[in-house]
Amino acid sequence: MQQLDYPVWLRVEHWLNVLFLTLLIRSGIEIIATHPKLYWRNDSRPGTEWARFTQKTMPKGRLYDTLDEEEHYSSIVSLPGRKQLGMGRHWHFISVIGWVLTGVVYYVLLFATGQWRRYIPQDWSLFSTAWNDLLTYLSFNLPPLLPGQPLDGLQKVAYAGVIFLLAPFQILTGAAQSPAIEARFPWYVRLFGGRQAARSLHFLGLIAFLVFIAVHLTMVVLWGWPELNALMIFGDVRDLDWAIGASLALLAGIVAVHVAATVISLKRPRTVQRGLGAVITPVRRALLRPLKSTQSYPRRAVSVEHRVNGKPPCSLAYKTLAVHGFVDWRLEVGGLVENPMFFSLEDLRELGQPQPPQRVLHNCVQGWSSIAEWGGVPLQTVIDLVKPMPDARFLCFLTMQDVGRDEPSAEGAGQFYEIIDLSLAKHPQCILAYDMNGGPLPIKHGAPLRLRLETQVGFKMAKWIERIEVVSDYSQIGEGMGGWREDNVFYDKDVEV
Ligand SMILES: Nc1nc2c(c(=O)[nH]1)N[C@H]1C(S)=C(S)[C@@H](COP(=O)(O)O)O[C@H]1N2
Ligand SMILES: [Mo]
């Protein structure tokens, strides 16, 4: 077995891969928990899921939102568990960065050193050998090794499949779930059969990884765990006792990282949000911020039932405005502007006249999507009228929703607000919407006015807006993290994915 002869870099890569892959799996399960249903069609219509991992049923005839459908799984399988989507996302994205870097180094070295011959099939007969090997395993025997090579045919095919197909497949289906990528390249999402199909395929990729890991571990045991471990740690089998100790220490180290990540996420989520965010945010902004939305779905793609997130304001003041068709409502735009202004719905409709409606895919941070047609006024048109001062950098959208009052089951209270970079107002398809699917915006979708920002995740698109405050800094607003969700449930402020 000495012929295995793993170079140092390959051994280091192997264990880094174990670390990142296990972090990806657990944080991925956290992300599924927040909307534990899988669909094939873009509209995620209730009842059309092909798989569900929840027992909850939703009330018929009463407004429920997708926060009510959220599940919490145990921290044993889920990082960190207990309905912490924000934390799950941070761990998933930091692990993506680590895993992709590990993967790039791995590919480069694999080809630079000729080690690829180990894994890439060079002969079609390998597939029939692999099939025979499978039958041999199924009859509880070990198949012969390939001549001059340290593995059998089936193992070679499986490794090639994981390294060159499954890993890239997970990256591609993951990217297909980024709202910025979807908004800029709608054809790319179609390659996978749509947004929900990409999410479903990403999940099936997870299952494939789990099957691979189970089989791989079984094989290692069958072929000789101590020797193989020694080879994967020290590169030789001279000292088996050391190797066993070292492999236990390695596994303990990986488990320790998981335990630490879980505990700190549950006890000090703000620390994790800030710490991991400091790495993730620049990468996300550099790669995805330049993408501009160019969506125009056909009319027939519009979802019959657009899902809802967030419960409408139930104050008397709001209900009174609504009863009168919001004629008394005004949008106030102020802060660091030369020309603070109030806009009625009529004013906004007049300003938005030339703007054609947009048919776009909505992406909730929880994983569901729907398609609708939105009509409104470009945000930039309104911003130009108020004339921001030179130090203006952000827009704070203040809403009429008081979360503690309107959504008592939510984790947190207070007025719902979200902050975006001022520069995003210039993005195409960034509008203040007052129409939906050809009629006035319904109450559950944000009447009288909501933001549409098509390159970002749904929670940034504040509904029931009453004021836009232009600011130079948001550290003194709320908890200073950039929005209600950022403050209370530790989401990230810039969400192109
Ligand atoms: N005021 C307010 N706006 C909000 C929310 C909310 O809870 N309150 N939820 C956000 C989230 S998470 C999503 S996905 C979208 C959902 O928009 P929809 O209900 O029109 O589908 O609204 C966003 N805007
Ligand atoms: Mo959302």
Side-chain angles (χ1 to χ4, degrees):
M1 252 193 231
Q2 263 96 336
Q3 59 189 333
L4 273 181
D5 197 20
Y6 295 125
V8 175
W9 65 263
L10 195 136
R11 288 178 261 142
V12 172
E13 287 272 326
H14 174 270
W15 295 106
L16 279 176
N17 191 34
V18 174
L19 174 66
F20 288 127
L21 210 50
T22 49
L23 287 171
L24 281 168
I25 290 171
R26 282 185 66 234
S27 56
I29 292 173
E30 182 76 44
I31 295 173
I32 297 172
T34 185
H35 193 71
K37 296 172 185 173
L38 295 169
Y39 314 85
W40 292 117
R41 295 220 327 257
N42 270 337
D43 59 6
S44 335
R45 193 171 176 190
T48 63
E49 61 267 20
W50 65 268
R52 48 154 56 215
F53 313 102
T54 172
Q55 309 259 309
K56 282 189 186 174
T57 50
M58 291 299 120
K60 290 231 157 38
R62 190 156 57 79
L63 179 68
Y64 69 88
D65 65 15
T66 54
L67 295 171
D68 300 319
E69 295 176 85
E70 213 172 7
E71 273 295 344
H72 52 281
Y73 297 155
S74 153
S75 299
I76 307 247
V77 292
S78 186
L79 173 58
R82 304 195 206 158
K83 269 196 194 173
Q84 290 293 329
L85 172 62
M87 288 295 103
R89 283 168 55 85
H90 289 299
W91 286 111
H92 207 66
F93 298 141
I94 199 85
S95 308
V96 165
I97 295 173
W99 192 60
V100 167
L101 289 178
T102 307
V104 168
V105 171
Y106 181 81
Y107 274 23
V108 168
L109 290 175
L110 205 60
F111 287 97
T113 61
Q115 291 281 332
W116 59 272
R117 288 190 194 87
R118 222 191 257 280
Y119 300 114
I120 295 198
Q122 280 144 289
D123 195 338
W124 287 109
S125 69
L126 182 68
F127 291 95
S128 60
T129 312
W131 176 250
N132 287 330
D133 292 351
L134 178 65
L135 298 178
T136 312
Y137 278 115
L138 290 177
S139 64
F140 297 101
N141 287 302
L142 291 179
L145 297 182
L146 293 167
Q149 293 185 50
L151 29 66
D152 63 56
L154 184 60
Q155 287 171 331
K156 185 156 175 158
V157 169
Y159 287 133
V162 169
I163 299 169
F164 300 108
L165 296 176
L166 184 55
F169 180 78
Q170 283 306 75
I171 294 169
L172 296 176
T173 50
Q177 295 177 74
S178 148
I181 293 178
E182 291 167 359
R184 175 63 188 80
F185 309 108
W187 57 266
Y188 177 71
V189 191
R190 274 203 300 280
L191 288 182
F192 300 95
R195 166 64 165 80
Q196 292 307 317
R199 181 168 176 259
S200 291
L201 292 171
H202 198 65
F203 172 82
L204 292 175
L206 160 70
I207 300 295
F209 258 116
L210 291 176
V211 169
F212 170 77
I213 292 169
V215 173
H216 176 66
L217 291 177
T218 313
M219 292 283 172
V220 169
V221 170
L222 286 180
W223 286 98
W225 177 67
E227 292 81 7
L228 286 171
N229 242 308
L231 287 167
M232 202 32 111
I233 296 176
F234 296 121
D236 62 50
V237 287
R238 261 170 292 168
D239 198 334
L240 282 188
D241 288 344
W242 258 108
I244 291 173
S247 80
L248 291 178
L250 254 174
L251 290 180
I254 291 169
V255 171
V257 171
H258 276 267
V259 171
T262 308
V263 171
I264 182 174
S265 299
L266 293 175
K267 294 219 163 114
R268 305 275 301 276
R270 189 73 79 214
T271 310
V272 175
Q273 181 186 25
R274 285 188 200 277
L276 299 188
V279 180
I280 298 165
T281 302
V283 176
R284 170 155 43 195
R285 288 176 65 118
L287 293 179
L288 300 174
R289 184 52 67 88
L291 302 180
K292 306 275 159 69
S293 180
T294 58
Q295 304 175 74
S296 185
Y297 281 81
R299 195 159 266 125
R300 65 187 144 75
V302 169
S303 305
V304 179
E305 193 173 335
H306 197 288
R307 279 181 171 276
V308 169
N309 205 327
K311 304 237 175 36
C314 61
S315 66
L316 196 57
Y318 179 79
K319 287 178 180 167
T320 312
L321 287 173
V323 163
H324 298 293
F326 298 102
V327 286
D328 298 321
W329 169 90
R330 294 290 177 277
L331 171 70
E332 187 181 1
V333 189
L336 291 178
V337 298
E338 285 168 24
N339 183 28
M341 281 175 82
F342 286 89
F343 298 87
S344 70
L345 211 43
E346 277 298 286
D347 300 336
L348 293 173
R349 282 185 184 282
E350 216 158 280
L351 286 171
Q353 204 94 80
Q355 177 79 2
Q358 59 202 44
R359 281 187 296 274
V360 293
L361 179 73
H362 176 93
N363 272 288
C364 175
V365 68
Q366 293 182 269
W368 57 267
S369 59
S370 295
I371 296 176
E373 179 182 280
W374 307 94
V377 51
L379 177 56
Q380 189 62 35
T381 306
V382 170
I383 296 303
D384 285 341
L385 285 171
V386 296
K387 301 199 173 71
M389 294 180 180
D391 49 349
R393 285 194 52 211
F394 304 100
L395 299 174
C396 178
F397 294 83
L398 293 152
T399 78
M400 294 178 270
Q401 186 196 28
D402 180 310
V403 182
R405 179 192 66 202
D406 303 323
E407 189 126 42
S409 59
E411 327 257 311
Q415 184 179 19
F416 189 97
Y417 76 97
E418 283 297 335
I419 291 168
I420 67 167
D421 293 359
L422 178 59
S423 57
L424 281 173
K426 287 205 174 63
H427 271 222
Q429 303 196 317
C430 175
I431 62 170
L432 292 168
Y434 40 67
D435 282 340
M436 180 186 187
N437 296 340
L441 191 61
I443 286 182
K444 62 182 176 180
H445 291 292
L449 196 70
R450 63 102 46 94
L451 179 63
R452 292 299 314 171
L453 181 49
E454 309 301 349
T455 52
Q456 305 244 332
V457 165
F459 75 90
K460 296 306 292 187
M461 305 181 207
K463 307 196 281 189
W464 313 294
I465 299 173
E466 64 175 354
R467 182 177 163 85
I468 302 174
E469 184 83 11
V470 182
V471 297
S472 61
D473 166 54
Y474 55 84
S475 61
Q476 302 302 315
I477 303 177
E479 302 276 318
M481 300 306 294
W484 190 95
R485 293 284 177 98
E486 291 86 335
D487 288 350
N488 292 278
V489 288
F490 312 102
Y491 291 178
D492 9 30
K493 169 180 158 280
D494 299 287
V495 278
E496 278 84 7
V497 61

